[in-house]
């Protein structure tokens, strides 16, 4: 689906968010920046005003009523925390109108969502997505899977929408948890690495603002080397490590502190926690 088709599709309906936090804001902000939606065609709901200021400031529709989202919008992002899902959906009255629900709720399967929504909006379709906050700056990374009720048009629409905000790939639902831990939780892990790299520079006398800029751009450049060359990161690492040089000394210090093992453990912990939260819905 090209951008013109996507824009036409989105302009023929309205876009809603049940849950108005950072991830919902990132998606809406990204789509607005791409001029794919108009502020007046976007709705968001939240139980308090804390998260609604963002939406009102950008002239979007903000409400405390989840039912208003379902009544007004054709595409609805479910963006609440898993433990609040049941309460959020209990505020929705019965509707026979067709709706596409795009879930960004960690740990909750498409089958569970279809079962819950079936009694409220019987004609609803579900697509499950694990996005990340860099969508806010057009550098997102999302994985998604289709529910049994969704159509090919639904998956094309969701993929086109999120591809405008970065990389978006379809995976089996069994992989949503671990893949989402890499992409959805990964930015936090990367921020720690950037912070640590910058702190190292500060320790050695580099001004904080310079160290942070160098650390962030170095991570961007390293990522682009992996993406654009297609080479294994281990090979690219070896190309930087001269025999007896400073880089291999630094790599040795990282290996002594089990950095790779720590990253693997972080993905595993995030995956298991996501599944645990999904069971508490």
């Amino acid at each position: 689906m090209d951008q013109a088709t996507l824009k036409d599709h989105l302009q023929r309906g309205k876009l809603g968010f049940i849950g108005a936090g950072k991830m919902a804001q990132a998606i809406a902000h990204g789509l607005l920046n791409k001029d794919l939606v108009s502020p007046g065609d976007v709705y968001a709901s939240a139980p308090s005003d804390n998260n609604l200021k963002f939406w009102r400031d950008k002239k979007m529709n903000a409400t405390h009523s989840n039912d208003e989202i379902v009544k007004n919008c054709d595409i609805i992002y479910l963006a609440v925390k898993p433990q609040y899902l049941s309460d959020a959906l209990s505020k929705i009255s019965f509707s026979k109108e067709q709706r596409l629900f795009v879930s960004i709720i960690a740990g909750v399967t498409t089958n569970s969502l279809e079962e819950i929504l079936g009694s409220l909006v019987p004609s609803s379709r579900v697509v499950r997505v694990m996005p990340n906050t860099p969508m806010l700056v057009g550098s997102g990374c999302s994985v998604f899977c289709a529910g049994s009720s969704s159509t090919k048009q639904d998956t094309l629409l969701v993929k086109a929408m999120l591809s405008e905000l970065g990389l978006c790939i379809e995976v089996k639902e069994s992989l949503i948890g671990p893949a989402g831990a890499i992409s959805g939780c990964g930015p936090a892990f990367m921020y720690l690495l950037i912070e640590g790299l910058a702190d190292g520079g500060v320790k050695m006398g580099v001004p904080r603002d310079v160290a942070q800029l160098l650390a962030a751009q170095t991570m961007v450049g390293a990522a682009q080397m992996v993406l654009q060359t297609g080479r294994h990161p281990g090979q690219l690492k070896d190309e930087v490590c001269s025999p007896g040089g400073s880089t291999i000394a630094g790599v040795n210090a990282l290996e002594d502190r089990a950095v790779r093992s720590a990253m693997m453990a972080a993905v595993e912990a995030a995956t298991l926690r996501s599944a645990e939260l999904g069971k508490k819905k």
Side-chain angles (χ1 to χ4, degrees), residues 47 66 82-92 281:
N66 296 340
Q83 59 267 36
Y84 303 138
L85 175 61
S86 295
D87 183 60
L89 295 183
S90 70
K91 308 292 195 302
I92 296 173
K281 66 184 185 300

Side-chain angles (χ1 to χ4, degrees), residues 14-95:
K14 297 188 186 300
L15 185 64
F17 294 84
I18 295 178
K22 296 298 184 184
M23 197 63 254
Q25 292 172 19
I27 295 171
H29 185 271
L31 294 173
L32 285 173
N33 276 354
K34 290 278 188 173
D35 195 32
L36 291 168
V37 291
S38 300
D41 291 331
V42 180
Y43 288 70
S45 63
S48 73
D49 283 328
N50 291 341
N51 287 331
L52 294 179
K53 183 178 185 302
F54 166 88
W55 307 82
R56 291 180 177 133
D57 287 348
K58 294 188 177 298
K59 310 303 180 186
M60 293 182 280
N61 302 284
T63 177
H64 298 305
S65 170
N66 296 340
D67 197 41
E68 185 178 341
I69 304 297
V70 175
K71 287 179 178 177
N72 284 290
C73 303
D74 303 298
I75 303 169
I76 301 162
Y77 278 84
L78 297 174
V80 298
K81 296 187 184 302
Q83 59 267 36
Y84 303 138
L85 175 61
S86 295
D87 183 60
L89 295 183
S90 70
K91 308 292 195 302
I92 296 173
S93 57
F94 184 83
S95 173

Side-chain angles (χ1 to χ4, degrees), residues 156-178:
L156 287 174
L157 175 62
V158 171
K159 183 170 185 177
M161 201 182 328
L162 299 179
S163 292
E164 288 291 330
L165 310 179
L167 176 69
C168 180
I169 61 174
E170 185 172 8
V171 298
K172 295 178 181 178
E173 185 156 21
S174 61
L175 296 179
I176 280 279

Side-chain angles (χ1 to χ4, degrees), residues 4-23:
T5 304
L6 172 62
K7 184 173 182 177
D8 177 68
H9 193 103
L10 291 175
Q11 289 182 340
R12 282 189 276 114
K14 297 188 186 300
L15 185 64
F17 294 84
I18 295 178
K22 296 298 184 184
M23 197 63 254

